[in-house]
Amino acid sequence: MRKLLIWMFAVLLMFAFTATGFAAAFVDMPADHWAYDAVIKLAKANLIEGYSDGTFRGDKAMSRYEVSFLVARAIEKYEVADAGQKKLIDKLSIEFATELNKMGIRMAKVETKTNSWVSGGDMRFRYHVNAPKTPGSSKLGSADNFDWRGRIRFSGQLNDNWTATARIASPWSNRFGNSDGNVGSVANIDVFNMKGANILGFDSVKIGRDSFAAGHNMISKSASVDGIWLNDTLAGGVFMGFVGNTKQATGGKANTLSLGQFTWKPQKDLRFGVGYYWADIPGTSKTDGTGDLMADNGAQFDSSRGYDLFFAYDMSKMTLLGEYIGSTLQNPVNMPGSPKGWSVQLSNGSGPSSKAFFGNTPMTNPKKIGDTAWLVGYRRVQSGTTPVSLGGFDQMAVASPSQAYNVFTHGTDNVKGWTFSLETVPDKNITLNLTVQKLSIVNRGLTQKLTSDDLDTTTVFTANYWF
């Protein structure tokens, strides 16, 4: 029955994409070929579409050619896909590499994404204001109200099994008018890795530098995480394993994170996940409120470990996300040894930030002019819940990073509050976003110098250009 439904969906998909309403089914592939499910999943996520006139083009209407065409269209939307969708696109690109290569100039645009190097990027311009309530703090002003960032991604197919990816990014702290300074004239390689398919019994193995995310991103970092990623499909779900360094080594200490995570989908509209981490990363505070932790009372710990539970429920045109983390601190001083944290989010968007907690990816589909999306979220995270440098909400709010008790570097530690976001697509590959966060302290006993629970209210207007 399942194979029959897959065949029917494939035929309907061909009807939708051709001008005459007909194209050959996948007759030269086994009925149980994994590509069927992969293509269906990408189509349902609006990552596959035909040419503007709804037709296929090519010398022969061969079934592998048709599948390769769909893969090519999915590759063009790689930047707006979530982690699971990118994994499917990568596997399909390797499976149909020969067909993609043979398409020649008719698929020149895809060729640049599969065989040569420039594969996309983005430009971001932001205007932001804040209203800090902490002692000695001041509002952002003048050039600090503006920043911009540019990123270019390079990728290539090395052979049938291995791909390579790199990204060059300007610093987040670029300001208008600082091109003659160090910040305005440097760039970082924040992504640099090789990824192999069907290696050592795993679906994929990735080695190098990349972004990192666990659960729905409560434990995450948008770039510059060095390590080894393992991914495999087993027992009706997906396993992810990771070991690596998430921040610069200090005092000979490698600051290593190890994590295992398993996600599964018991029904079409419901997803669950569970993970466990070990973080050999210390956390410290300073008396002036500028340490790793949102504390000023000498709070510290040597390392941490903990569990991560998360779910996603797709309702009618909306997605509800939830995540709960429970951690155990090793040798805690002046702070609770078993911190907890949780977050929930409701959104009606179709982009990656609607399928994980709001971050550096769009809520909308940048290819769809007029697409709009909204998001509302709430989080409450005790100090030490997430490993230092891996707070998923860090850098989502704006504030001077050198300022005491700032919500820019401490957005996921001893913090609670609301996030509201609205996004639209005024033109193809352009998104406009307005996000407001209102944040307060969770445990003022750790912050003895604060006179109230209020931390900051931040407002950010972002224009993103995706290419």
Side-chain angles (χ1 to χ4, degrees):
M1 182 64 181
R2 176 176 176 272
K3 293 180 180 178
L4 178 61
L5 291 175
I6 292 174
W7 274 79
M8 293 174 64
F9 187 89
V11 172
L12 289 174
L13 189 62
M14 294 304 148
F15 269 74
F17 285 137
T18 58
T20 62
F22 174 82
F26 302 151
V27 295
D28 67 338
M29 292 196 306
D32 59 352
H33 198 288
W34 62 266
Y36 292 120
D37 284 337
V39 167
I40 290 171
K41 289 178 181 178
L42 295 175
K44 288 181 177 180
N46 296 319
L47 292 173
I48 289 178
E49 60 185 21
Y51 285 104
S52 59
D53 61 1
T55 64
F56 284 105
R57 296 169 185 165
D59 296 330
K60 297 180 180 180
M62 297 175 64
S63 58
R64 283 190 68 91
Y65 171 87
E66 293 167 349
V67 180
S68 300
F69 177 88
L70 300 180
V71 175
R73 306 310 290 170
I75 290 171
E76 291 186 331
K77 294 189 176 183
Y78 191 87
E79 290 298 322
V80 299
D82 62 28
Q85 293 159 356
K86 287 180 179 179
K87 178 182 175 182
L88 289 179
I89 295 172
D90 288 341
K91 287 185 65 178
L92 287 167
S93 299
I94 293 172
E95 171 72 19
F96 296 95
T98 300
E99 287 78 13
L100 289 169
N101 293 341
K102 288 181 179 179
M103 290 179 186
I105 61 172
R106 291 187 302 279
M107 286 295 174
K109 188 173 183 180
V110 176
E111 189 94 356
T112 63
K113 292 178 178 288
T114 56
N115 298 325
S116 46
W117 293 95
V118 177
S119 61
D122 64 278
M123 293 289 296
R124 183 184 74 183
F125 298 89
R126 299 195 304 181
Y127 173 76
H128 32 65
V129 294
N130 67 334
K133 307 297 183 182
T134 56
S137 62
S138 59
K139 296 181 179 180
L140 296 170
S142 188
D144 287 337
N145 290 122
F146 301 86
D147 69 22
W148 65 271
R149 182 193 68 192
R151 302 187 297 185
I152 301 176
R153 180 180 290 269
F154 304 85
S155 62
Q157 188 77 41
L158 303 181
N159 53 46
D160 289 343
N161 294 319
W162 287 90
T163 59
T165 302
R167 186 173 68 185
I168 298 176
S170 64
W172 59 265
S173 53
N174 264 304
R175 301 289 188 267
F176 290 119
N178 69 352
S179 60
D180 55 345
N182 290 334
V183 171
S185 59
V186 300
N188 306 311
I189 300 178
D190 64 355
V191 173
F192 191 86
N193 62 71
M194 293 180 61
K195 185 175 183 179
N198 302 316
I199 304 296
L200 301 175
F202 292 94
D203 289 347
S204 68
V205 175
K206 182 167 58 179
I207 304 172
R209 175 173 297 179
D210 206 344
S211 59
F212 172 83
H216 289 318
N217 290 1
M218 275 190 72
I219 300 177
S220 65
K221 190 176 181 182
S222 61
S224 300
V225 173
D226 299 332
I228 300 175
W229 288 257
L230 306 173
N231 286 277
D232 200 25
T233 302
L234 49 88
V238 178
F239 167 79
M240 180 190 78
F242 171 83
V243 60
N245 301 334
T246 62
K247 61 176 294 189
Q248 185 175 355
T250 54
K253 192 176 183 64
N255 293 319
T256 301
L257 173 77
S258 302
L259 179 139
Q261 175 180 290
F262 186 77
T263 60
W264 71 98
K265 192 173 183 178
Q267 59 189 58
K268 179 180 178 181
D269 55 2
L270 185 62
R271 301 182 298 279
F272 284 106
V274 58
Y276 197 87
Y277 79 88
W278 300 262
D280 190 21
I281 306 172
T284 61
S285 63
K286 294 183 178 180
T287 56
D288 62 358
T290 61
D292 299 326
L293 307 175
M294 182 77 85
D296 59 19
N297 68 334
Q300 65 180 49
F301 60 89
D302 292 338
S303 61
S304 63
R305 65 179 185 271
Y307 59 87
D308 185 4
L309 308 174
F310 52 97
F311 77 92
Y313 179 56
D314 295 320
M315 298 176 284
S316 177
K317 298 183 179 180
M318 291 188 293
T319 299
L320 175 66
L321 305 177
E323 186 167 1
Y324 183 92
I325 298 174
S327 298
T328 300
L329 308 181
Q330 304 303 306
N331 300 319
V333 177
N334 295 335
M335 64 185 302
S338 300
K340 307 292 188 298
W342 57 271
S343 181
V344 293
Q345 174 181 294
L346 182 66
S347 174
N348 72 332
S350 59
S353 275
S354 300
K355 310 305 178 184
F357 291 136
F358 180 70
N360 291 308
T361 53
M363 294 191 297
T364 53
N365 178 359
K367 300 286 186 181
K368 186 178 179 181
I369 298 175
D371 194 19
T372 59
W374 55 263
L375 173 154
V376 58
Y378 184 84
R379 65 184 184 270
R380 188 181 191 279
V381 189
Q382 295 177 336
S383 187
T385 299
T386 62
V388 170
S389 80
L390 287 169
F393 295 103
D394 296 352
Q395 302 184 23
M396 293 298 101
V398 293
S400 172
S402 61
Q403 188 169 280
Y405 315 105
N406 78 82
V407 294
F408 179 78
T409 57
H410 302 88
T412 324
D413 190 81
N414 202 11
V415 166
K416 61 182 178 181
W418 292 92
T419 299
F420 305 93
S421 189
L422 180 66
E423 186 172 287
T424 187
V425 183
D427 205 349
K428 188 175 182 180
N429 295 325
I430 298 175
T431 59
L432 301 178
N433 181 283
L434 179 65
T435 298
V436 178
Q437 295 193 63
K438 183 173 178 58
L439 304 173
S440 304
I441 205 78
V442 172
N443 182 358
R444 193 142 58 94
L446 303 181
T447 52
Q448 299 173 348
K449 296 179 181 179
L450 294 186
T451 57
S452 74
D453 291 343
D454 292 337
L455 289 172
D456 208 336
T457 299
T458 70
T459 303
V460 182
F461 174 78
T462 304
N464 259 309
Y465 304 85
W466 310 90
F467 59 90

Short mmCIF file of all heavy atoms in Angstrom, two decimals, residues 393-441:
data_model
loop_
_atom_site.label_atom_id
_atom_site.label_comp_id
_atom_site.label_asym_id
_atom_site.label_seq_id
_atom_site.Cartn_x
_atom_site.Cartn_y
_atom_site.Cartn_z
N PHE A 393 20.07 31.28 22.09
CA PHE A 393 19.47 32.60 21.97
C PHE A 393 20.50 33.71 22.13
O PHE A 393 20.15 34.89 22.07
CB PHE A 393 18.36 32.78 23.02
CG PHE A 393 17.20 31.86 22.81
CD1 PHE A 393 17.03 30.74 23.59
CD2 PHE A 393 16.27 32.11 21.80
CE1 PHE A 393 15.96 29.88 23.40
CE2 PHE A 393 15.19 31.27 21.60
CZ PHE A 393 15.04 30.14 22.40
N ASP A 394 21.78 33.36 22.32
CA ASP A 394 22.82 34.38 22.37
C ASP A 394 22.93 35.06 21.01
O ASP A 394 22.78 34.43 19.96
CB ASP A 394 24.18 33.75 22.73
CG ASP A 394 24.18 33.16 24.13
OD1 ASP A 394 23.19 33.36 24.86
OD2 ASP A 394 25.17 32.49 24.47
N GLN A 395 23.16 36.35 21.01
CA GLN A 395 23.32 37.17 19.82
C GLN A 395 22.02 37.37 19.04
O GLN A 395 22.04 37.97 17.97
CB GLN A 395 24.40 36.60 18.89
CG GLN A 395 25.76 36.46 19.55
CD GLN A 395 26.84 36.00 18.62
OE1 GLN A 395 26.75 36.16 17.41
NE2 GLN A 395 27.91 35.43 19.17
N MET A 396 20.90 36.90 19.59
CA MET A 396 19.62 37.16 18.96
C MET A 396 19.07 38.53 19.37
O MET A 396 18.37 39.19 18.61
CB MET A 396 18.61 36.08 19.32
CG MET A 396 18.93 34.70 18.77
SD MET A 396 18.96 34.66 16.96
CE MET A 396 20.74 34.70 16.64
N ALA A 397 19.37 38.94 20.61
CA ALA A 397 19.04 40.30 21.04
C ALA A 397 20.27 41.18 20.84
O ALA A 397 21.38 40.68 20.62
CB ALA A 397 18.61 40.30 22.51
N VAL A 398 20.12 42.48 20.92
CA VAL A 398 21.24 43.39 20.65
C VAL A 398 21.59 44.19 21.91
O VAL A 398 20.72 44.62 22.66
CB VAL A 398 20.92 44.36 19.50
CG1 VAL A 398 20.81 43.59 18.19
CG2 VAL A 398 19.64 45.13 19.76
N ALA A 399 22.89 44.34 22.12
CA ALA A 399 23.42 45.13 23.23
C ALA A 399 24.93 45.17 23.06
O ALA A 399 25.50 44.35 22.32
CB ALA A 399 23.05 44.53 24.59
N SER A 400 25.58 46.08 23.72
CA SER A 400 27.03 46.13 23.68
C SER A 400 27.60 44.90 24.38
O SER A 400 27.29 44.64 25.55
CB SER A 400 27.55 47.39 24.36
OG SER A 400 28.97 47.36 24.49
N PRO A 401 28.44 44.09 23.71
CA PRO A 401 28.95 42.86 24.33
C PRO A 401 29.89 43.11 25.51
O PRO A 401 30.11 42.21 26.32
CB PRO A 401 29.70 42.17 23.18
CG PRO A 401 30.03 43.26 22.23
CD PRO A 401 28.91 44.24 22.32
N SER A 402 30.43 44.31 25.63
CA SER A 402 31.31 44.62 26.76
C SER A 402 30.54 45.14 27.96
O SER A 402 31.12 45.33 29.04
CB SER A 402 32.36 45.65 26.33
OG SER A 402 31.74 46.86 25.91
N GLN A 403 29.25 45.36 27.81
CA GLN A 403 28.43 45.91 28.88
C GLN A 403 28.02 44.83 29.89
O GLN A 403 27.77 43.68 29.52
CB GLN A 403 27.17 46.54 28.27
CG GLN A 403 26.32 47.31 29.23
CD GLN A 403 25.27 48.10 28.49
OE1 GLN A 403 25.54 49.16 27.95
NE2 GLN A 403 24.06 47.57 28.44
N ALA A 404 27.97 45.18 31.14
CA ALA A 404 27.60 44.22 32.19
C ALA A 404 26.16 43.75 32.00
O ALA A 404 25.29 44.51 31.58
CB ALA A 404 27.76 44.87 33.56
N TYR A 405 25.92 42.48 32.30
CA TYR A 405 24.59 41.87 32.26
C TYR A 405 23.91 42.04 30.89
O TYR A 405 22.70 42.17 30.79
CB TYR A 405 23.68 42.47 33.34
CG TYR A 405 24.32 42.61 34.69
CD1 TYR A 405 24.74 43.86 35.16
CD2 TYR A 405 24.54 41.50 35.50
CE1 TYR A 405 25.35 44.00 36.40
CE2 TYR A 405 25.15 41.63 36.75
CZ TYR A 405 25.56 42.88 37.19
OH TYR A 405 26.17 43.01 38.42
N ASN A 406 24.71 42.06 29.81
CA ASN A 406 24.10 42.30 28.50
C ASN A 406 23.41 41.04 27.97
O ASN A 406 23.84 39.91 28.23
CB ASN A 406 25.15 42.81 27.51
CG ASN A 406 26.04 41.71 26.97
OD1 ASN A 406 25.66 40.99 26.05
ND2 ASN A 406 27.22 41.56 27.57
N VAL A 407 22.33 41.23 27.22
CA VAL A 407 21.53 40.12 26.70
C VAL A 407 22.04 39.63 25.35
O VAL A 407 21.48 38.69 24.78
CB VAL A 407 20.05 40.53 26.58
CG1 VAL A 407 19.45 40.79 27.96
CG2 VAL A 407 19.88 41.75 25.68
N PHE A 408 23.10 40.25 24.84
CA PHE A 408 23.69 39.80 23.58
C PHE A 408 24.52 38.54 23.79
O PHE A 408 24.38 37.56 23.07
CB PHE A 408 24.56 40.91 22.99
CG PHE A 408 25.24 40.54 21.71
CD1 PHE A 408 24.55 40.53 20.51
CD2 PHE A 408 26.58 40.19 21.69
CE1 PHE A 408 25.17 40.17 19.32
CE2 PHE A 408 27.23 39.85 20.52
CZ PHE A 408 26.51 39.83 19.33
N THR A 409 25.40 38.53 24.80
CA THR A 409 26.22 37.37 25.08
C THR A 409 25.61 36.45 26.15
O THR A 409 26.12 35.37 26.39
CB THR A 409 27.63 37.79 25.54
OG1 THR A 409 27.51 38.64 26.70
CG2 THR A 409 28.35 38.55 24.44
N HIS A 410 24.52 36.89 26.80
CA HIS A 410 23.89 36.10 27.85
C HIS A 410 22.41 35.87 27.58
O HIS A 410 21.59 35.86 28.49
CB HIS A 410 24.05 36.79 29.21
CG HIS A 410 25.47 37.04 29.61
ND1 HIS A 410 26.15 38.18 29.25
CD2 HIS A 410 26.34 36.29 30.33
CE1 HIS A 410 27.38 38.13 29.75
NE2 HIS A 410 27.52 36.99 30.41
N GLY A 411 22.07 35.69 26.32
CA GLY A 411 20.66 35.54 25.97
C GLY A 411 20.05 34.21 26.36
O GLY A 411 18.83 34.02 26.25
N THR A 412 20.90 33.25 26.81
CA THR A 412 20.40 31.92 27.16
C THR A 412 20.88 31.51 28.55
O THR A 412 20.94 30.32 28.87
CB THR A 412 20.89 30.89 26.13
OG1 THR A 412 20.91 31.48 24.83
CG2 THR A 412 19.95 29.68 26.06
N ASP A 413 21.20 32.47 29.42
CA ASP A 413 21.70 32.14 30.75
C ASP A 413 21.07 33.05 31.79
O ASP A 413 21.23 34.28 31.73
CB ASP A 413 23.23 32.29 30.80
CG ASP A 413 23.83 31.72 32.08
OD1 ASP A 413 24.01 30.49 32.15
OD2 ASP A 413 24.08 32.50 33.03
N ASN A 414 20.32 32.45 32.73
CA ASN A 414 19.66 33.20 33.79
C ASN A 414 18.73 34.26 33.21
O ASN A 414 18.65 35.38 33.71
CB ASN A 414 20.70 33.86 34.72
CG ASN A 414 20.14 34.20 36.08
OD1 ASN A 414 19.04 33.78 36.45
ND2 ASN A 414 20.89 34.98 36.84
N VAL A 415 18.01 33.88 32.15
CA VAL A 415 17.17 34.83 31.40
C VAL A 415 15.80 34.21 31.15
O VAL A 415 15.67 33.01 30.89
CB VAL A 415 17.83 35.20 30.06
CG1 VAL A 415 16.84 35.89 29.14
CG2 VAL A 415 19.04 36.11 30.29
N LYS A 416 14.79 35.06 31.21
CA LYS A 416 13.45 34.68 30.79
C LYS A 416 12.87 35.82 29.97
O LYS A 416 13.26 36.98 30.15
CB LYS A 416 12.55 34.37 31.99
CG LYS A 416 12.35 35.55 32.92
CD LYS A 416 11.49 35.17 34.13
CE LYS A 416 11.34 36.35 35.09
NZ LYS A 416 10.54 36.02 36.28
N GLY A 417 11.91 35.50 29.08
CA GLY A 417 11.29 36.59 28.34
C GLY A 417 10.63 36.16 27.05
O GLY A 417 10.65 34.98 26.66
N TRP A 418 10.04 37.15 26.40
CA TRP A 418 9.23 36.96 25.19
C TRP A 418 10.00 37.38 23.95
O TRP A 418 10.81 38.29 23.98
CB TRP A 418 7.94 37.76 25.28
CG TRP A 418 6.99 37.29 26.31
CD1 TRP A 418 6.90 37.71 27.61
CD2 TRP A 418 5.97 36.31 26.14
NE1 TRP A 418 5.90 37.03 28.27
CE2 TRP A 418 5.31 36.17 27.38
CE3 TRP A 418 5.56 35.52 25.07
CZ2 TRP A 418 4.24 35.29 27.56
CZ3 TRP A 418 4.51 34.63 25.25
CH2 TRP A 418 3.87 34.53 26.49
N THR A 419 9.67 36.69 22.84
CA THR A 419 10.16 37.08 21.52
C THR A 419 8.96 37.18 20.58
O THR A 419 8.13 36.27 20.51
CB THR A 419 11.15 36.05 20.96
OG1 THR A 419 12.28 35.95 21.81
CG2 THR A 419 11.63 36.46 19.56
N PHE A 420 8.89 38.30 19.86
CA PHE A 420 7.85 38.52 18.85
C PHE A 420 8.54 38.87 17.54
O PHE A 420 9.44 39.72 17.52
CB PHE A 420 6.90 39.65 19.25
CG PHE A 420 6.27 39.48 20.60
CD1 PHE A 420 6.85 40.04 21.73
CD2 PHE A 420 5.09 38.74 20.74
CE1 PHE A 420 6.28 39.88 22.97
CE2 PHE A 420 4.52 38.58 21.99
CZ PHE A 420 5.11 39.14 23.12
N SER A 421 8.11 38.24 16.44
CA SER A 421 8.77 38.49 15.16
C SER A 421 7.76 38.46 14.03
O SER A 421 6.82 37.67 14.04
CB SER A 421 9.87 37.44 14.92
OG SER A 421 10.66 37.77 13.79
N LEU A 422 7.98 39.35 13.05
CA LEU A 422 7.13 39.44 11.86
C LEU A 422 8.05 39.56 10.64
O LEU A 422 9.01 40.33 10.67
CB LEU A 422 6.20 40.64 11.94
CG LEU A 422 5.24 40.86 10.76
CD1 LEU A 422 4.24 39.72 10.67
CD2 LEU A 422 4.51 42.20 10.91
N GLU A 423 7.75 38.81 9.58
CA GLU A 423 8.63 38.79 8.41
C GLU A 423 7.81 38.77 7.12
O GLU A 423 6.73 38.17 7.07
CB GLU A 423 9.55 37.58 8.47
CG GLU A 423 10.62 37.53 7.39
CD GLU A 423 11.61 36.41 7.65
OE1 GLU A 423 12.43 36.55 8.59
OE2 GLU A 423 11.55 35.38 6.95
N THR A 424 8.34 39.41 6.07
CA THR A 424 7.68 39.41 4.77
C THR A 424 8.72 39.33 3.66
O THR A 424 9.90 39.61 3.88
CB THR A 424 6.80 40.67 4.60
OG1 THR A 424 6.04 40.56 3.39
CG2 THR A 424 7.67 41.92 4.54
N VAL A 425 8.25 38.94 2.47
CA VAL A 425 9.11 38.85 1.28
C VAL A 425 8.61 39.86 0.26
O VAL A 425 7.68 39.57 -0.51
CB VAL A 425 9.08 37.42 0.68
CG1 VAL A 425 10.03 37.32 -0.51
CG2 VAL A 425 9.45 36.39 1.74
N PRO A 426 9.19 41.08 0.20
CA PRO A 426 8.70 42.10 -0.74
C PRO A 426 9.10 41.81 -2.18
O PRO A 426 8.44 42.28 -3.11
CB PRO A 426 9.36 43.38 -0.24
CG PRO A 426 10.63 42.90 0.40
CD PRO A 426 10.29 41.58 1.04
N ASP A 427 10.18 41.08 -2.37
CA ASP A 427 10.64 40.72 -3.70
C ASP A 427 11.43 39.42 -3.59
O ASP A 427 11.87 39.05 -2.49
CB ASP A 427 11.51 41.82 -4.30
CG ASP A 427 11.51 41.81 -5.83
OD1 ASP A 427 11.01 40.82 -6.41
OD2 ASP A 427 12.01 42.77 -6.44
N LYS A 428 11.63 38.76 -4.70
CA LYS A 428 12.28 37.47 -4.67
C LYS A 428 13.67 37.56 -4.04
O LYS A 428 14.47 38.43 -4.38
CB LYS A 428 12.38 36.90 -6.09
CG LYS A 428 12.87 35.46 -6.15
CD LYS A 428 12.82 34.94 -7.57
CE LYS A 428 13.27 33.48 -7.62
NZ LYS A 428 13.22 32.94 -9.01
N ASN A 429 13.94 36.65 -3.09
CA ASN A 429 15.22 36.54 -2.39
C ASN A 429 15.51 37.71 -1.45
O ASN A 429 16.67 37.93 -1.07
CB ASN A 429 16.38 36.38 -3.38
CG ASN A 429 16.28 35.08 -4.16
OD1 ASN A 429 15.83 34.07 -3.63
ND2 ASN A 429 16.69 35.12 -5.42
N ILE A 430 14.50 38.46 -1.08
CA ILE A 430 14.65 39.56 -0.12
C ILE A 430 13.65 39.35 1.01
O ILE A 430 12.46 39.15 0.77
CB ILE A 430 14.41 40.93 -0.76
CG1 ILE A 430 15.44 41.19 -1.87
CG2 ILE A 430 14.49 42.04 0.28
CD1 ILE A 430 15.20 42.49 -2.63
N THR A 431 14.12 39.38 2.25
CA THR A 431 13.23 39.27 3.40
C THR A 431 13.41 40.47 4.31
O THR A 431 14.53 40.95 4.51
CB THR A 431 13.49 37.99 4.21
OG1 THR A 431 14.84 37.98 4.68
CG2 THR A 431 13.23 36.76 3.37
N LEU A 432 12.31 40.96 4.86
CA LEU A 432 12.31 42.05 5.83
C LEU A 432 11.73 41.51 7.13
O LEU A 432 10.66 40.89 7.12
CB LEU A 432 11.49 43.23 5.33
CG LEU A 432 11.92 43.86 4.00
CD1 LEU A 432 10.97 45.00 3.63
CD2 LEU A 432 13.36 44.36 4.07
N ASN A 433 12.42 41.76 8.24
CA ASN A 433 12.02 41.17 9.50
C ASN A 433 12.06 42.21 10.62
O ASN A 433 12.99 43.01 10.69
CB ASN A 433 12.96 40.00 9.85
CG ASN A 433 12.58 39.33 11.16
OD1 ASN A 433 12.86 39.84 12.24
ND2 ASN A 433 11.96 38.18 11.06
N LEU A 434 11.06 42.16 11.49
CA LEU A 434 11.01 43.00 12.68
C LEU A 434 10.86 42.09 13.89
O LEU A 434 9.90 41.31 13.97
CB LEU A 434 9.83 43.98 12.62
CG LEU A 434 9.67 44.91 13.84
CD1 LEU A 434 10.86 45.86 13.95
CD2 LEU A 434 8.37 45.68 13.76
N THR A 435 11.81 42.17 14.83
CA THR A 435 11.81 41.30 16.00
C THR A 435 11.98 42.11 17.28
O THR A 435 12.86 42.97 17.36
CB THR A 435 12.94 40.25 15.92
OG1 THR A 435 12.75 39.43 14.77
CG2 THR A 435 12.96 39.37 17.17
N VAL A 436 11.14 41.82 18.26
CA VAL A 436 11.19 42.49 19.56
C VAL A 436 11.37 41.43 20.63
O VAL A 436 10.68 40.39 20.62
CB VAL A 436 9.91 43.31 19.83
CG1 VAL A 436 9.96 43.95 21.22
CG2 VAL A 436 9.71 44.36 18.76
N GLN A 437 12.29 41.67 21.57
CA GLN A 437 12.48 40.79 22.71
C GLN A 437 12.41 41.61 24.01
O GLN A 437 13.02 42.67 24.09
CB GLN A 437 13.83 40.06 22.65
CG GLN A 437 13.96 39.10 21.48
CD GLN A 437 15.15 38.18 21.63
OE1 GLN A 437 15.22 37.38 22.57
NE2 GLN A 437 16.09 38.29 20.71
N LYS A 438 11.69 41.09 24.98
CA LYS A 438 11.60 41.70 26.30
C LYS A 438 12.10 40.68 27.31
O LYS A 438 11.46 39.64 27.52
CB LYS A 438 10.17 42.13 26.63
CG LYS A 438 10.05 42.85 27.97
CD LYS A 438 8.66 43.40 28.18
CE LYS A 438 8.52 44.06 29.55
NZ LYS A 438 9.51 45.16 29.74
N LEU A 439 13.24 40.96 27.95
CA LEU A 439 13.95 39.97 28.73
C LEU A 439 14.15 40.42 30.18
O LEU A 439 14.40 41.60 30.45
CB LEU A 439 15.31 39.67 28.09
CG LEU A 439 15.25 39.21 26.62
CD1 LEU A 439 16.64 39.10 26.04
CD2 LEU A 439 14.49 37.90 26.52
N SER A 440 14.08 39.43 31.09
CA SER A 440 14.26 39.67 32.52
C SER A 440 15.17 38.60 33.11
O SER A 440 15.45 37.58 32.48
CB SER A 440 12.90 39.66 33.24
OG SER A 440 11.99 40.58 32.67
N ILE A 441 15.59 38.83 34.35
CA ILE A 441 16.46 37.89 35.05
C ILE A 441 15.62 36.76 35.65
O ILE A 441 14.46 36.97 36.03
CB ILE A 441 17.28 38.62 36.13
CG1 ILE A 441 18.58 37.86 36.45
CG2 ILE A 441 16.45 38.83 37.38
CD1 ILE A 441 19.64 38.08 35.41
#
